[in-house]
Amino acid sequence: PDVIIEAQFDDNDAEHGQDHLQDMLADDIKKLSLDTGEKGETKQDDGPKVDDPRLLPDKFLQRTAKVVYILEKKHSRAATGFIKLLADKNSELFRRCAMFSPVDHRVPRAYVSLADCPPDFVTRPEDYSNMLFICRIVDWKEDSNFATGQLAKSLGQAGEIEPETEGILTEYGVDFSDFSPEALECLPQSLPWVISPGEMAKRRDLR
């Protein structure tokens, strides 16, 4: 199958037509196959030919593995995205769930309960077409194409700095809450604060 047969198409072939050319090519292919079989030549691969894979050197083996246990879930299971109504309005699922579409396409889409959505979402879904939400994935059944999620909060309009920033920090599990009073007490209390000359003398200025 890797052999390409080139044939010249001249005036004689034109008189006999296309069928004659196809017959010539077919005969050449049969002759080539017969010649290869009669000579008994075989193409040798680089790798050894053995029936038992255990006898092969390690360099010819493809190592495989199987996940047996999850030690730690690194992903926060939180995603930023949009909610919209399901396409099939006659289904039972339409009356119970909405579809959450994450901005990050590596995260699966998820069904979210309408009870978690805003009260007027069903009647006015267009009002929330550009509204960012935080959704946490809680389950993903084997027989479902979509995960199951729970809306955590509404961030605000997409494209604005504060909602977008809060969404990114939440997705990566960054704690951006206010510092505790104990942490703030560790800071200098006398303001404005300046670096003392003694500290400047023994430090390298990287400003």
Side-chain angles (χ1 to χ4, degrees), residues 157-171:
Q157 292 292 324
E160 297 182 358
I161 295 179
E162 291 186 2
E164 297 280 359
T165 303
E166 184 177 350
I168 294 174
L169 295 176
T170 304
E171 287 183 10

PDB file of all heavy atoms in Angstrom, residues 157-171:
ATOM      1  N   GLN A 157     -20.896  42.363  36.902  1.00  0.00           N
ATOM      2  CA  GLN A 157     -20.856  42.385  35.451  1.00  0.00           C
ATOM      3  C   GLN A 157     -19.501  41.906  34.943  1.00  0.00           C
ATOM      4  O   GLN A 157     -18.452  42.253  35.490  1.00  0.00           O
ATOM      5  CB  GLN A 157     -21.131  43.797  34.926  1.00  0.00           C
ATOM      6  CG  GLN A 157     -22.548  44.278  35.167  1.00  0.00           C
ATOM      7  CD  GLN A 157     -23.562  43.492  34.348  1.00  0.00           C
ATOM      8  OE1 GLN A 157     -23.296  43.100  33.217  1.00  0.00           O
ATOM      9  NE2 GLN A 157     -24.730  43.267  34.926  1.00  0.00           N
ATOM     10  N   ALA A 158     -19.531  41.089  33.899  1.00  0.00           N
ATOM     11  CA  ALA A 158     -18.298  40.627  33.271  1.00  0.00           C
ATOM     12  C   ALA A 158     -17.579  41.791  32.606  1.00  0.00           C
ATOM     13  O   ALA A 158     -18.212  42.692  32.059  1.00  0.00           O
ATOM     14  CB  ALA A 158     -18.602  39.537  32.244  1.00  0.00           C
ATOM     15  N   GLY A 159     -16.269  41.765  32.649  1.00  0.00           N
ATOM     16  CA  GLY A 159     -15.476  42.825  32.054  1.00  0.00           C
ATOM     17  C   GLY A 159     -15.024  43.874  33.035  1.00  0.00           C
ATOM     18  O   GLY A 159     -14.092  44.634  32.741  1.00  0.00           O
ATOM     19  N   GLU A 160     -15.631  43.957  34.209  1.00  0.00           N
ATOM     20  CA  GLU A 160     -15.202  44.909  35.221  1.00  0.00           C
ATOM     21  C   GLU A 160     -14.066  44.302  36.052  1.00  0.00           C
ATOM     22  O   GLU A 160     -13.999  43.078  36.255  1.00  0.00           O
ATOM     23  CB  GLU A 160     -16.375  45.301  36.119  1.00  0.00           C
ATOM     24  CG  GLU A 160     -17.490  46.017  35.366  1.00  0.00           C
ATOM     25  CD  GLU A 160     -18.626  46.443  36.284  1.00  0.00           C
ATOM     26  OE1 GLU A 160     -18.538  46.142  37.502  1.00  0.00           O
ATOM     27  OE2 GLU A 160     -19.589  47.057  35.802  1.00  0.00           O
ATOM     28  N   ILE A 161     -13.196  45.145  36.556  1.00  0.00           N
ATOM     29  CA  ILE A 161     -11.973  44.676  37.193  1.00  0.00           C
ATOM     30  C   ILE A 161     -12.265  43.921  38.484  1.00  0.00           C
ATOM     31  O   ILE A 161     -11.736  42.823  38.716  1.00  0.00           O
ATOM     32  CB  ILE A 161     -11.021  45.863  37.456  1.00  0.00           C
ATOM     33  CG1 ILE A 161     -10.551  46.466  36.128  1.00  0.00           C
ATOM     34  CG2 ILE A 161      -9.828  45.423  38.294  1.00  0.00           C
ATOM     35  CD1 ILE A 161      -9.627  47.645  36.287  1.00  0.00           C
ATOM     36  N   GLU A 162     -13.085  44.469  39.354  1.00  0.00           N
ATOM     37  CA  GLU A 162     -13.304  43.845  40.666  1.00  0.00           C
ATOM     38  C   GLU A 162     -13.958  42.469  40.557  1.00  0.00           C
ATOM     39  O   GLU A 162     -13.473  41.511  41.181  1.00  0.00           O
ATOM     40  CB  GLU A 162     -14.134  44.782  41.542  1.00  0.00           C
ATOM     41  CG  GLU A 162     -13.389  46.044  41.958  1.00  0.00           C
ATOM     42  CD  GLU A 162     -14.194  46.876  42.937  1.00  0.00           C
ATOM     43  OE1 GLU A 162     -15.307  46.430  43.308  1.00  0.00           O
ATOM     44  OE2 GLU A 162     -13.727  47.948  43.331  1.00  0.00           O
ATOM     45  N   PRO A 163     -15.038  42.298  39.798  1.00  0.00           N
ATOM     46  CA  PRO A 163     -15.605  40.933  39.676  1.00  0.00           C
ATOM     47  C   PRO A 163     -14.650  39.941  39.030  1.00  0.00           C
ATOM     48  O   PRO A 163     -14.564  38.790  39.478  1.00  0.00           O
ATOM     49  CB  PRO A 163     -16.857  41.152  38.820  1.00  0.00           C
ATOM     50  CG  PRO A 163     -17.207  42.588  38.973  1.00  0.00           C
ATOM     51  CD  PRO A 163     -15.906  43.289  39.131  1.00  0.00           C
ATOM     52  N   GLU A 164     -13.931  40.368  38.001  1.00  0.00           N
ATOM     53  CA  GLU A 164     -13.001  39.469  37.338  1.00  0.00           C
ATOM     54  C   GLU A 164     -11.867  39.056  38.286  1.00  0.00           C
ATOM     55  O   GLU A 164     -11.466  37.886  38.335  1.00  0.00           O
ATOM     56  CB  GLU A 164     -12.412  40.140  36.090  1.00  0.00           C
ATOM     57  CG  GLU A 164     -13.429  40.485  35.010  1.00  0.00           C
ATOM     58  CD  GLU A 164     -13.809  39.284  34.157  1.00  0.00           C
ATOM     59  OE1 GLU A 164     -13.260  38.189  34.389  1.00  0.00           O
ATOM     60  OE2 GLU A 164     -14.646  39.454  33.253  1.00  0.00           O
ATOM     61  N   THR A 165     -11.368  40.015  39.060  1.00  0.00           N
ATOM     62  CA  THR A 165     -10.288  39.713  39.996  1.00  0.00           C
ATOM     63  C   THR A 165     -10.757  38.775  41.094  1.00  0.00           C
ATOM     64  O   THR A 165     -10.069  37.803  41.440  1.00  0.00           O
ATOM     65  CB  THR A 165      -9.745  41.012  40.610  1.00  0.00           C
ATOM     66  OG1 THR A 165      -9.312  41.885  39.566  1.00  0.00           O
ATOM     67  CG2 THR A 165      -8.580  40.725  41.542  1.00  0.00           C
ATOM     68  N   GLU A 166     -11.928  39.039  41.642  1.00  0.00           N
ATOM     69  CA  GLU A 166     -12.455  38.172  42.690  1.00  0.00           C
ATOM     70  C   GLU A 166     -12.695  36.759  42.172  1.00  0.00           C
ATOM     71  O   GLU A 166     -12.459  35.769  42.879  1.00  0.00           O
ATOM     72  CB  GLU A 166     -13.758  38.748  43.248  1.00  0.00           C
ATOM     73  CG  GLU A 166     -14.327  37.949  44.412  1.00  0.00           C
ATOM     74  CD  GLU A 166     -15.574  38.582  44.994  1.00  0.00           C
ATOM     75  OE1 GLU A 166     -15.889  39.727  44.633  1.00  0.00           O
ATOM     76  OE2 GLU A 166     -16.235  37.920  45.816  1.00  0.00           O
ATOM     77  N   GLY A 167     -13.145  36.656  40.931  1.00  0.00           N
ATOM     78  CA  GLY A 167     -13.362  35.328  40.347  1.00  0.00           C
ATOM     79  C   GLY A 167     -12.067  34.545  40.206  1.00  0.00           C
ATOM     80  O   GLY A 167     -12.011  33.347  40.513  1.00  0.00           O
ATOM     81  N   ILE A 168     -10.996  35.207  39.757  1.00  0.00           N
ATOM     82  CA  ILE A 168      -9.711  34.529  39.597  1.00  0.00           C
ATOM     83  C   ILE A 168      -9.174  34.078  40.953  1.00  0.00           C
ATOM     84  O   ILE A 168      -8.680  32.950  41.108  1.00  0.00           O
ATOM     85  CB  ILE A 168      -8.710  35.459  38.881  1.00  0.00           C
ATOM     86  CG1 ILE A 168      -9.169  35.734  37.445  1.00  0.00           C
ATOM     87  CG2 ILE A 168      -7.312  34.856  38.884  1.00  0.00           C
ATOM     88  CD1 ILE A 168      -8.316  36.748  36.721  1.00  0.00           C
ATOM     89  N   LEU A 169      -9.252  34.950  41.951  1.00  0.00           N
ATOM     90  CA  LEU A 169      -8.744  34.591  43.278  1.00  0.00           C
ATOM     91  C   LEU A 169      -9.531  33.434  43.877  1.00  0.00           C
ATOM     92  O   LEU A 169      -8.961  32.546  44.531  1.00  0.00           O
ATOM     93  CB  LEU A 169      -8.816  35.812  44.202  1.00  0.00           C
ATOM     94  CG  LEU A 169      -7.919  36.994  43.819  1.00  0.00           C
ATOM     95  CD1 LEU A 169      -8.165  38.174  44.751  1.00  0.00           C
ATOM     96  CD2 LEU A 169      -6.458  36.594  43.849  1.00  0.00           C
ATOM     97  N   THR A 170     -10.842  33.416  43.653  1.00  0.00           N
ATOM     98  CA  THR A 170     -11.658  32.332  44.193  1.00  0.00           C
ATOM     99  C   THR A 170     -11.355  31.015  43.497  1.00  0.00           C
ATOM    100  O   THR A 170     -11.288  29.961  44.137  1.00  0.00           O
ATOM    101  CB  THR A 170     -13.148  32.674  44.044  1.00  0.00           C
ATOM    102  OG1 THR A 170     -13.423  33.931  44.686  1.00  0.00           O
ATOM    103  CG2 THR A 170     -14.018  31.597  44.688  1.00  0.00           C
ATOM    104  N   GLU A 171     -11.171  31.044  42.194  1.00  0.00           N
ATOM    105  CA  GLU A 171     -10.870  29.826  41.450  1.00  0.00           C
ATOM    106  C   GLU A 171      -9.582  29.167  41.936  1.00  0.00           C
ATOM    107  O   GLU A 171      -9.498  27.944  42.035  1.00  0.00           O
ATOM    108  CB  GLU A 171     -10.758  30.138  39.954  1.00  0.00           C
ATOM    109  CG  GLU A 171     -12.087  30.421  39.279  1.00  0.00           C
ATOM    110  CD  GLU A 171     -11.911  30.657  37.789  1.00  0.00           C
ATOM    111  OE1 GLU A 171     -10.803  30.420  37.267  1.00  0.00           O
ATOM    112  OE2 GLU A 171     -12.878  31.086  37.141  1.00  0.00           O
TER     113      GLU A 171
END
